[in-house]
Amino acid sequence: MQENSPGIPAIDVAGLGKTVADASGELVILSDIHFTVQAGATLALVGASGSGKSTLLGLLAGLDTPSAGSVRIDGVDLFALDEDGRAGLRKDKLGFVFQSFQLLAHLTALENVMLPLELRGDAGAAARAKAMLERVGLGQRLRHYPKFLSGGEQQRVALARAFVTEPPLLLADEPTGSLDAATGEAVIDLMFRLNREQGSTLVLVTHDPAIAALCERRITLHAGRIVEAGA
């Protein structure tokens, strides 16, 4: 795993804002967001639907661009980089777990997990992907395509794909939102176990207070603003 730079926060957000044009003029999605996350910490972003949680997570990953403010990942100003630079930073430092899994339908479970390793040019991609799928209990499903996997299995493939590169920072957007309660609990247990084993920083969006309580810190958003930030 690539280490974070000593003494530098894993994430440093300053004055972050996002507005978009709509029929009535300008819609404020996020406004004046400030916070830092230290390396190795776990943080939950919570709030009602429409509060800006997923938009904020997308900005932290550089998947969207802000209207104001900055995001520094391990000291690097994300939006001082061009699109290729942001993609390179994601490749080296970020793992992302989507609510809707975002597996490639034409690739097997093994090939989906190999993909980020291959994009980085890492050696031994197949062996590393196989080992990670075995760790998440899918050693017998390597050659299965997503359509032949249950929702819980697909999410475990998504977790394996996110963790296989051992990223210093993992971002997860409602990682159990598409799963039943029992499967969701198993996936969350697995995600936190892998996170502890790799010593990475975890930021997740959730509407579930029980999941948020597993994190060391919680930030509550309301109408695009932070209304509570603490342990």
Side-chain angles (χ1 to χ4, degrees):
M1 183 177 98
Q2 294 197 25
E3 301 293 337
N4 287 90
S5 303
I8 296 177
I11 302 172
D12 185 359
V13 176
L16 196 64
K18 178 69 176 181
T19 60
V20 296
D22 68 0
S24 61
E26 196 173 74
L27 176 64
V28 177
I29 300 176
L30 291 170
S31 179
D32 199 30
I33 303 294
H34 295 260
F35 66 91
T36 60
V37 183
Q38 298 303 317
T42 54
L43 170 68
L45 301 176
V46 301
S49 178
S51 60
K53 305 184 301 296
S54 291
T55 298
L56 177 53
L57 201 71
L59 289 170
L60 297 183
L63 297 172
D64 193 5
T65 55
S67 305
S70 65
V71 174
R72 291 183 180 273
I73 302 296
D74 194 22
V76 177
D77 186 342
L78 193 54
F79 299 108
L81 303 174
D82 61 16
E83 188 171 338
D84 288 343
R86 292 194 295 274
L89 185 144
R90 282 194 296 271
K91 181 177 65 175
D92 292 337
K93 294 183 177 292
L94 296 180
F96 203 105
V97 180
F98 298 89
Q99 177 178 342
S100 56
F101 317 138
Q102 297 288 342
L103 301 178
L104 297 179
H106 64 286
L107 299 182
T108 64
L110 181 65
E111 291 166 341
N112 267 283
V113 178
M114 287 172 60
L115 186 60
L117 296 170
E118 292 177 328
L119 290 173
R120 290 203 320 194
D122 289 8
R128 290 173 62 185
K130 180 176 182 289
M132 181 57 72
L133 283 165
E134 288 172 346
R135 288 179 68 188
V136 301
L138 294 176
Q140 304 303 312
R141 311 287 273 173
L142 303 179
R143 304 298 175 185
H144 288 68
Y145 291 93
K147 68 179 180 181
F148 298 115
L149 300 173
S150 69
E153 288 172 333
Q154 290 184 54
Q155 190 61 298
R156 281 188 279 159
V157 173
L159 283 177
R161 182 181 59 188
F163 277 104
V164 74
T165 59
E166 300 188 357
L169 174 60
L170 183 78
L171 306 176
D173 190 5
E174 296 279 13
T176 63
S178 302
L179 306 176
D180 62 76
T183 304
E185 183 176 351
V187 164
I188 285 295
D189 287 346
L190 173 63
M191 184 171 70
F192 275 88
R193 176 166 59 81
L194 291 171
N195 192 70
R196 286 192 300 271
E197 289 173 0
Q198 294 190 356
S200 51
T201 307
L202 173 64
V203 179
L204 62 86
V205 164
T206 184
H207 65 278
D208 187 332
I211 295 174
L214 297 172
C215 293
E216 297 161 353
R217 290 179 58 205
R218 180 178 63 195
I219 287 177
T220 303
L221 295 173
H222 176 72
R225 292 181 175 273
I226 294 177
V227 295
E228 178 187 0

